[in-house]
Amino acid sequence: MIDILLYGLLGLAAAALLYNFIRRIARSRSDLGIEGKLIWMDKGRSTKPFFNQVFEVLGKPDLMYRVRGGVLAVEYKSRRGPVFKSDVVQAKCAALAARGNGYQVTRLLVKTATSEQYIELPRADKALFNEIKEYVILTRQAKAGVRMKAWPNVGKCRGCAFKYDCVHAQRK
Amino acid sequence: MGNSRKSKWVSASDVGRASYCPHYLELKEKRTKPSQESIEARAKGEVSHEELNLQAEDRRCFVATHLYGSDHPNTCLLREYRDQRLASHTTGRVFITVYYAISPYLVIAARKLPLISRFMRYFVDWNIRRIQERHGDD
């Protein structure tokens, strides 16, 4: 009797593991679950970015869908882990660039391999620009040759492309 | 004038990096060589973006694409069958999920062993004939 219970329990555990495995596969490989029509796609280097002549920013979202009330832009990061502020700032800037070409982006989906975040955007371009303005200014300063502050952090520095040449890099 | 005007343009990826660490941009402007890991990560990222695009278009049909090509009528017929018949009921959706989990590995194996390709072609051709017959009946 105890044998049957034990095997039953093991069977249940195996079934639960299998179920979780299939769910994980299904989640990572199923469609994106966006209700809307795909209207634009970044096909790599051959796809030209959008230019917003007013704010002088350029960029391209990864995907754009026509959804109820406007356009949803998707910014995809292939790494695992949470959505970072820098991902959101990049996505907002790309959305502003797309708006310059007539795509009224009203919503963002920033997605990593393991998490995602939806963000509602302000209707006015100026308001959207104001949300990223300080970083646009910093970028312009860097391009002009101004010395830039470092914001070192163990996690950030680990993933940085210039960690071996950066005097501020925190290595642990 | 022209130069100063040109330099005002900033890209979304650089603006994102400015919020990550402004010093990154300084190093980039100085043409510092990126680490090998970051070059590899970038290449991986490009592959992931291609996969995302396939997912978004739902043009996945790995085995058929391997056997006939992405835009071949047989591949399109199988995609249509997937979307119209299989995806309309639970068993079909489970089949699609399991198929997408297995088929990339099948294709990798088939590329290494042509015998697997031949077997798959025989099986897929047989299925296509069945689908066409059903279409004919309808």
Side-chain angles (χ1 to χ4, degrees):
Chain A
M1 183 66 185
I2 289 170
D3 283 1
I4 294 168
L5 276 174
L6 190 67
Y7 283 126
L9 212 63
L10 281 172
L12 274 176
L17 281 172
L18 189 70
Y19 174 73
N20 269 333
F21 176 68
I22 290 172
R23 253 184 54 178
R24 249 178 52 202
I25 288 171
R27 207 181 302 152
S28 63
R29 292 197 185 274
S30 67
D31 63 340
L32 296 172
I34 296 166
E35 279 182 35
K37 188 176 185 292
L38 183 70
I39 52 169
W40 190 89
M41 177 183 280
D42 175 12
K43 290 184 175 165
R45 283 170 201 183
S46 61
T47 308
K48 285 185 180 159
F50 297 116
F51 292 84
N52 190 316
Q53 303 288 338
V54 178
F55 299 100
E56 296 186 313
V57 294
L58 63 106
K60 46 183 181 176
D62 291 319
L63 304 165
M64 283 198 282
Y65 287 85
R66 182 159 306 287
V67 292
R68 267 173 57 184
V71 173
L72 169 84
V74 181
E75 181 63 44
Y76 179 67
K77 299 285 166 191
S78 56
R79 63 173 152 72
R80 300 174 75 83
V83 170
F84 293 136
K85 187 185 171 189
S86 57
D87 304 329
V88 175
V89 170
Q90 182 184 348
K92 283 181 177 176
C93 192
L96 185 62
R99 280 187 180 184
N101 287 246
Y103 291 94
Q104 195 49 41
V105 183
T106 50
R107 220 172 168 215
L108 290 176
L109 166 60
V110 186
K111 196 173 162 58
T112 72
T114 52
S115 62
E116 61 183 37
Q117 189 182 337
Y118 281 93
I119 298 145
E120 298 295 330
L121 297 180
R123 290 270 163 183
D125 292 359
K126 180 75 182 164
L128 176 57
F129 177 72
N130 283 339
E131 289 186 3
I132 55 168
K133 190 177 176 182
E134 62 175 302
Y135 305 112
V136 172
I137 292 168
L138 277 174
T139 311
R140 287 192 178 131
Q141 286 173 343
K143 284 174 90 74
V146 176
R147 289 193 73 171
M148 292 282 113
K149 276 186 182 171
W151 295 339
N153 163 292
V154 178
K156 276 184 188 177
C157 294
R158 198 185 298 136
C160 180
F162 302 130
K163 61 184 170 186
Y164 299 119
D165 293 288
C166 179
V167 289
H168 306 283
Q170 296 190 346
R171 297 180 192 113
K172 277 194 180 173
Chain B
M1 179 69 190
N3 263 351
S4 71
R5 187 137 183 87
K6 196 179 163 192
S7 67
K8 283 192 88 180
W9 282 93
V10 289
S11 72
S13 54
D14 280 349
V15 175
R17 277 173 192 138
S19 72
Y20 181 81
C21 177
H23 190 60
Y24 177 102
L25 294 176
E26 186 187 327
L27 293 170
K28 190 185 165 201
E29 284 304 311
K30 287 178 179 167
R31 303 199 182 280
T32 308
K33 206 178 160 201
S35 67
Q36 190 56 37
E37 294 118 279
S38 74
I39 293 168
E40 283 164 16
R42 197 187 171 94
K44 263 190 194 172
E46 280 173 10
V47 172
S48 295
H49 275 84
E50 278 172 27
E51 281 172 9
L52 176 82
N53 287 353
L54 287 172
Q55 215 176 333
E57 282 185 316
D58 214 0
R59 281 167 60 84
R60 297 171 297 173
C61 204
F62 300 110
V63 171
T65 304
H66 164 70
L67 294 175
Y68 309 108
S70 177
D71 295 312
H72 191 276
N74 285 352
T75 313
C76 296
L77 179 79
L78 288 167
R79 276 193 201 117
E80 197 184 307
Y81 181 72
R82 173 199 65 193
D83 296 337
Q84 288 179 4
R85 294 290 176 104
L86 289 178
S88 64
H89 53 89
T90 314
T91 323
R93 284 194 291 274
V94 170
F95 173 81
I96 293 169
T97 303
V98 174
Y99 170 75
Y100 281 142
I102 296 167
S103 57
Y105 303 104
L106 267 177
V107 171
I108 291 168
R111 279 182 189 147
K112 289 181 181 169
L113 294 169
L115 190 70
I116 297 178
S117 275
R118 276 171 58 190
F119 175 74
M120 284 197 309
R121 193 171 186 116
Y122 174 79
F123 179 73
V124 176
D125 279 347
W126 177 73
N127 270 293
I128 286 170
R129 276 199 301 277
R130 277 189 58 195
I131 294 167
Q132 282 168 336
E133 278 166 20
R134 277 191 195 176
H135 266 275
D137 289 348
D138 292 346

